[in-house]
Amino acid sequence: MVAVASERIRGLDSALSEIDARRDEIVAFARDLIRFPTVNPPGEAYRPCAEFFGERLRRRGFDVTYVRAEGAPGDNDKYPRINVVCRREGSRPGPCVHFNGHLDVVQTGAGWTVDPFEGLVRDGKLYGRGACDMKGGIAAAVVAVEALIDSGTDLPGALEISGTVDEESGGYGGVAYLAERGWFSKPRVDHVIIPEPLNVDRVCIGHRGVWWAEIETLGRIAHGSMPFLGDSAIRHMSAVLEKFEHALYPALAARRSDMPVVPDGARQSTMNVNSIHGGQAESFEGLPAPCVADSCRIVIDRRFLIEETLAEVQGEVKALLDGLSHDRPNFRYKMRELFHVEPVMADRNGPVASATAKAIREVLGRDAKIVCSPGTYDQKHVDRIGRLKDCIAYGPGVLDLAHQPDEWVGIQDMVDSAKVMALAAIDLLTRA
Ligand SMILES: [Zn+2]
């Protein structure tokens, strides 16, 4: 027993020093990934990026499968939704640890001072669109796994690494598509780590739920000089917004969650009015014609807690609108759900969360923080479709930098998180 234990520790030490020695390799691989402009939408460069990722792991002895999400939103011959899953069997049967990263990035937007697809290195940081969210995390996971294999540590079970697409647009052509086909379920997979940028010392066990809906108020068109002959949908909408201000927002703010959501402002229910449009269209150049608006629409983005149900969230808004139908003359509305995502939260004492927290303590010498994300990510599909509960997000990258101009990831954070992922993987594989 002692001999086995000390052999294992030697293996761990050698894996960790292998990762230190591969610092430049982590940076180079992350930079190579950044150079594929995998912007979503529309889904640029998915195929070459997935193939670059898959061929690297094929050379390292992984079985590599490319899965095109045929029929998924946005999938066509010009922009195929190409996912890649790589698997390597260990020395004997055992659990499977899976690392999943999304290859897509959001548009660059304005305000960059460096080329977003060059992968510039400066002052210990790697810059580029996706450096933080989440190509830096993918590179750290891949090099962690490679170093583990090369360290000669006896590894039972299996290691999997996937590069998936469309996370930024809901994951339906990526993790959801694969989960529906059994790629994220037992007995194939037991533990999942998603190296999203949640900060190098935090274990993210889940996220709040989402409900998006469109609300339309209805009026009657008339000449703008005689508005009393019509019925303004915009004034009806202002009554809706007034209800939100005085009844809904205070109620949401009072609802604190036991979920450890960060930042602290997101540790309650929130709602954003994503857009508002009423009356005449905005996209013309001339002068407007005087009309009373017969339609006004808003889109709401309601984020809810694990303590709330979707039916309660929907019912709360509907009750306010029905109240207006009762109290306000001629108030008519339509409400249409755009989509919803249920909240998810893994067990903070479950295998993957506890192994990762322990590894953070060993590598960084401080306690891990257990957190939940304010927004959703692909864990929802692993949990809901794959029915696999032992899933977390853990990776380098500062959460607040995601989707910003001049996005970067710290090189030391990539190295440290690679060590954490390697230690967590070996712990999970050898626990049974
Ligand atoms: Zn992401």
Side-chain angles (χ1 to χ4, degrees), residues 16 28 34 68 101 158 173 262 282 296 318 322 372 406 417:
L16 296 186
I34 288 167
R68 176 172 168 180
V262 288
E282 292 164 326
C296 184
K318 188 164 185 307
D322 289 342
C372 283
D406 286 352
S417 73

Side-chain angles (χ1 to χ4, degrees), residues 102 104 132-134 167-168 194-197 376-378 402-403:
H102 66 84
D104 58 318
C132 162
D133 184 12
M134 58 175 287
E167 190 276 342
E168 298 291 2
I194 303 177
E196 285 276 7
T376 79
Y377 54 94
D378 277 333
H403 301 193

Side-chain angles (χ1 to χ4, degrees), residues 78-99:
K78 188 168 180 212
Y79 298 113
R81 286 14 224 179
I82 307 283
N83 298 281
V84 56
V85 186
C86 311
R87 182 179 175 99
R88 185 181 182 279
E89 300 293 340
S91 57
R92 58 186 184 279
C96 170
V97 176
H98 183 119
F99 293 94

Side-chain angles (χ1 to χ4, degrees), residues 265-318:
R267 200 167 174 172
Q268 61 180 42
S269 290
T270 58
M271 191 180 81
N272 178 47
V273 178
N274 189 68
S275 62
I276 180 163
H277 295 286
Q280 218 149 35
E282 292 164 326
S283 53
F284 72 101
E285 304 238 315
L287 287 168
C291 289
V292 173
D294 58 2
S295 163
C296 184
R297 285 174 293 115
I298 60 171
V299 170
I300 56 171
D301 172 0
R302 171 78 164 81
R303 304 294 170 133
F304 62 103
L305 310 171
I306 207 144
E307 293 87 350
E308 301 176 288
T309 67
L310 177 64
E312 286 164 2
V313 166
Q314 295 163 328
E316 185 173 37
V317 172
K318 188 164 185 307

Side-chain angles (χ1 to χ4, degrees), residues 134-401:
M134 58 175 287
K135 289 170 171 174
I138 293 172
V142 167
V143 173
V145 166
E146 290 173 349
L148 207 50
I149 293 166
D150 294 345
S151 71
T153 313
D154 177 45
L155 297 170
L159 284 163
E160 284 192 347
I161 309 185
S162 59
T164 52
V165 299
D166 284 355
E167 190 276 342
E168 298 291 2
S169 51
Y172 300 101
V175 171
Y177 189 91
L178 293 173
E180 278 159 7
R181 286 154 185 81
W183 291 87
F184 284 96
S185 296
K186 288 190 176 211
R188 183 189 171 89
V189 180
D190 299 279
H191 315 286
V192 178
I193 296 177
I194 303 177
E196 285 276 7
L198 269 305
N199 299 14
V200 70
D201 59 353
R202 302 202 295 206
V203 175
C204 179
I205 55 174
H207 55 70
R208 298 187 301 173
V210 184
W211 180 55
W212 282 70
E214 183 188 78
I215 298 166
E216 180 179 15
T217 50
L218 302 165
R220 200 161 56 80
I221 194 165
H223 198 288
S225 68
M226 297 170 283
F228 46 86
L229 296 180
D231 180 25
S232 172
I234 293 173
R235 289 183 64 184
H236 287 310
M237 188 59 81
S238 79
V240 173
L241 296 177
E242 177 103 351
K243 279 278 183 207
F244 286 170
E245 281 306 319
H246 295 111
L248 188 58
Y249 284 123
L252 301 186
R255 230 166 272 163
R256 293 282 291 181
S257 180
D258 281 339
M259 298 177 91
V261 187
V262 288
D264 193 58
R267 200 167 174 172
Q268 61 180 42
S269 290
T270 58
M271 191 180 81
N272 178 47
V273 178
N274 189 68
S275 62
I276 180 163
H277 295 286
Q280 218 149 35
E282 292 164 326
S283 53
F284 72 101
E285 304 238 315
L287 287 168
C291 289
V292 173
D294 58 2
S295 163
C296 184
R297 285 174 293 115
I298 60 171
V299 170
I300 56 171
D301 172 0
R302 171 78 164 81
R303 304 294 170 133
F304 62 103
L305 310 171
I306 207 144
E307 293 87 350
E308 301 176 288
T309 67
L310 177 64
E312 286 164 2
V313 166
Q314 295 163 328
E316 185 173 37
V317 172
K318 188 164 185 307
L320 285 180
L321 297 169
D322 289 342
L324 284 168
S325 298
H326 187 261
D327 300 341
R328 186 178 165 88
N330 302 320
F331 182 86
R332 289 176 298 140
Y333 78 94
K334 290 183 191 162
M335 185 162 75
R336 164 171 90 89
E337 174 171 301
L338 302 177
F339 72 91
H340 71 260
V341 174
E342 298 276 356
V344 300
M345 188 160 68
D347 180 0
R348 65 171 67 207
N349 299 311
V352 72
S354 60
T356 307
K358 184 165 160 253
I360 287 171
R361 216 171 304 121
E362 282 173 37
V363 171
L364 298 173
R366 57 182 188 265
D367 282 340
K369 291 191 199 78
I370 305 290
V371 300
C372 283
S373 166
T376 79
Y377 54 94
D378 277 333
Q379 184 171 348
K380 57 184 176 267
H381 301 309
V382 176
D383 179 288
R384 298 281 157 178
I385 305 172
R387 307 239 161 252
L388 191 60
K389 303 292 170 193
D390 204 39
C391 175
I392 57 156
Y394 169 75
V398 176
L399 177 62
D400 304 13
L401 296 176

